[in-house]
Amino acid sequence: MLFLDRGDAGRRLAVRLQPLHGEDLVILGLQRGGVPVAYEVARALGAPLDVIVVRKLGVPHQPELAFGAIGEDGVRVLNDTVVAGTWLTTEEMAKVEHREREELSRRAERFRVGRSRIPLAGRTAVIVDDGVVTGATGRAACQVARAHRAARVVLAVPVGAQDALAALSKEADEVICLESPLWFFAVGQWYRHFGPTSAREVVELLRRAAEELPEPLAGPAGDPLLRDDEVRVVAGNVELAGHLIIPEDPNGIVVFAHGSGSSRHSPRNRYVASVLNRARLGTLLLDLLTVDEEINRARVFDIALLARRLVDVTGWLNRQEAVAGLRIGYFGASTGTGAALQAAADPRVEVAAVVSRGGRPDLAGATLAAVRAPTLLIVGGHDHLVLELNRRAQAAMSCETALAVVPGATHLFAEAGALEKVAELARDWFVTQLGPIAADDRSGRGNGTG
């Protein structure tokens, strides 16, 4: 026995997955047994959890033998060897698929209980199961994730058969497995407790995971919005996707710079943006990389590229009628912080404030000394390495800076109340720095470096 139960396996798998910490992840539990494992992974990584529903296609006279599998959005994977060896006809396979597809739709609706599927476009999809025997289900899951335009697909399991894992490495960008015993007959043989996972348990774990990440706040009742649009912005030779919200009588606008994954779909960014919107601050949640570029990890750390695009986006934003006269701030996370600070030092744009959430200001390099926008660096108290990097970056800056440490918080601020504290700190900083009082004050002080 390698694992006590699925929860134990998930916690141990999460340790192996720590290098993914900080990426824009969605953890996808394969129904049903993969969800308890995925729940522990999602908690440890501070990432959103969803279920990925697939159904095995069993040979009619031997249903435990799978000739393939299906997933949402019409995905089908066939095992040509089994199909040929069992002499299945097209009509027989179609009948099985029709039955299983009806069941697949029913389960997806039941598990999510009215919640929408979490978008995967431009993000890293981490598919988690309790183990792999043949790999047919995992193959279907990988293809479902790719159909939803995930930038990267990682398949993670506690235990699996060696031949199946080798085959899955052709479907996923990365396969992570804790144990791959030479003699492998069934997943359950490697667990001390391996009872069936009920649909009720799946629903409860998904509900619990959804509640652990704060939902974006609704604006004050009756307050109209000047803009609430999906936008496309040309930056250099690419077109970037974003979501622009401008409340009535705005006090300023904040551009979110996220260097890894999708900024506009990030649940953390969306929550922080909703808090800013309630304070009458406009927000532009922007993906600085295209879906195709996100696959190349080197692009995530190309700070000069990200900063140039942020400058281009700021120029576009200044040309929008609803933004005329508003002061602009940057909210950076991950490598996006380095890009935000480098862009803020660019003479082509005027940036009034910068806030970093667990970011890497050190990646701005020598540009740090040229930043003039008042900058707030927010770091988790238990994010020790990033905290030290932020302290060094602050020492290299000559503008007004503040370092706010959220006690007990780790890199993604997944702890209870941590993200809410980040949002409050960011809101107060931007309201102070972007509002009309700050603008009048600066007109008498010159560069506003305090």
Side-chain angles (χ1 to χ4, degrees):
M1 304 295 179
L2 293 172
F3 308 105
L4 178 63
D5 55 22
R6 291 183 177 91
D8 173 51
R11 289 185 289 273
R12 290 163 65 177
L13 184 59
V15 174
R16 177 71 70 85
L17 293 171
Q18 280 300 313
L20 299 178
H21 211 194
E23 292 191 29
D24 189 9
L25 307 173
V26 179
I27 310 301
L28 301 169
L30 267 163
Q31 55 88 34
R32 299 179 185 173
V35 175
V37 184
Y39 173 75
E40 298 295 339
V41 171
R43 287 189 66 195
L45 298 182
L49 173 69
D50 200 358
V51 63
I52 187 163
V53 187
V54 297
R55 294 288 294 173
K56 294 179 182 178
L57 302 175
V59 176
H61 56 276
Q62 195 177 351
E64 69 278 5
L65 177 63
F67 67 84
I70 57 172
E72 295 177 87
D73 300 313
V75 171
R76 182 179 71 165
V77 180
L78 295 181
N79 186 322
D80 295 332
T81 302
V82 174
V83 171
T86 54
W87 299 91
L88 286 172
T89 66
T90 302
E91 291 75 15
E92 288 173 324
M93 290 191 292
K95 185 177 180 180
V96 173
E97 181 176 349
H98 177 74
R99 181 182 67 246
E100 295 299 338
R101 201 163 284 287
E102 286 186 341
E103 178 64 13
L104 182 145
S105 298
R106 186 187 67 81
R107 291 195 178 198
E109 183 176 348
R110 180 181 183 186
F111 292 149
R112 294 201 179 98
V113 195
R115 284 188 295 271
S116 300
R117 181 181 59 81
I118 297 177
L120 301 182
R123 310 170 81 173
T124 297
V126 182
I127 299 168
V128 178
D129 203 357
D130 52 13
V132 168
V133 182
T134 66
T137 305
R139 289 177 63 199
C142 289
Q143 294 199 10
V144 168
R146 292 204 190 281
H148 288 141
R149 300 175 59 227
R152 185 164 172 251
V153 177
V154 177
L155 182 73
V157 293
V159 63
Q162 294 180 5
D163 56 346
L165 293 171
L168 286 168
S169 66
K170 301 174 183 177
E171 301 290 341
D173 297 299
E174 184 177 2
V175 175
I176 296 173
C177 181
L178 299 183
E179 302 287 346
S180 53
L182 182 61
W183 302 104
F184 194 103
F185 302 104
V187 173
Q189 74 184 108
W190 308 106
Y191 286 81
R192 183 177 182 87
H193 303 291
F194 195 71
T197 302
S198 68
R200 180 176 296 180
E201 183 179 357
V202 171
V203 171
E204 172 61 20
L205 290 174
L206 292 174
R207 182 197 64 78
R208 198 182 306 169
E211 290 178 353
E212 288 172 358
L213 282 175
E215 287 292 319
L217 302 178
D223 271 11
L225 296 173
L226 297 181
R227 295 282 299 271
D228 184 5
D229 305 320
E230 294 291 327
V231 296
R232 310 289 296 186
V233 183
V234 175
N237 60 353
V238 301
E239 192 175 58
L240 305 177
H243 189 88
L244 177 64
I245 291 181
I246 304 178
E248 191 173 41
D249 298 324
N251 294 319
I253 187 162
V254 178
V255 182
F256 282 62
H258 202 96
S260 174
S262 173
S263 172
R264 62 197 170 112
H265 292 311
S266 163
R268 288 171 180 78
N269 283 350
R270 289 175 58 227
Y271 175 76
V272 174
S274 72
V275 173
L276 301 185
N277 295 151
R278 286 172 69 92
R280 296 195 179 281
L281 292 167
T283 53
L284 174 58
L285 274 65
L286 186 81
D287 298 342
L288 289 175
L289 295 175
T290 67
V291 173
D292 291 337
E293 290 173 332
E294 176 68 18
I295 298 173
N296 182 356
R297 299 298 297 159
R299 292 277 190 171
V300 174
F301 288 89
D302 190 342
I303 303 303
L305 170 69
L306 301 178
R308 286 196 304 271
R309 290 183 176 178
L310 194 51
V311 168
D312 289 343
V313 168
T314 306
W316 172 87
L317 192 58
N318 275 318
R319 294 191 294 273
Q320 304 306 300
E321 183 179 354
V323 179
L326 295 181
R327 297 168 66 77
I328 295 175
Y330 289 159
F331 183 90
S334 183
T335 57
T337 291
L341 289 168
Q342 198 166 103
D346 193 298
R348 292 172 294 174
V349 296
E350 184 176 346
V351 179
V354 178
V355 173
S356 165
R357 169 179 64 83
R360 294 286 306 276
D362 56 297
L363 295 177
T367 311
L368 285 172
V371 176
R372 292 292 173 262
T375 300
L376 172 64
L377 306 173
I378 307 173
V379 188
H382 287 174
D383 194 6
H384 303 296
L385 175 59
V386 173
L387 179 56
E388 179 58 28
L389 292 172
N390 274 254
R391 284 175 174 149
R392 294 179 186 178
Q394 184 186 26
M397 300 175 73
S398 58
C399 61
E400 177 187 349
T401 62
L403 177 63
V405 179
V406 179
T410 51
H411 184 63
L412 290 180
F413 300 91
E415 295 72 21
L419 189 61
E420 289 86 342
K421 184 62 176 177
V422 169
E424 291 171 8
L425 290 166
R427 176 199 62 201
D428 294 346
W429 189 265
F430 283 129
V431 166
T432 300
Q433 303 295 344
L434 303 185
I437 294 177
D440 293 343
D441 185 43
R442 281 205 180 80
S443 65
R445 287 197 284 136
N447 64 12
T449 59

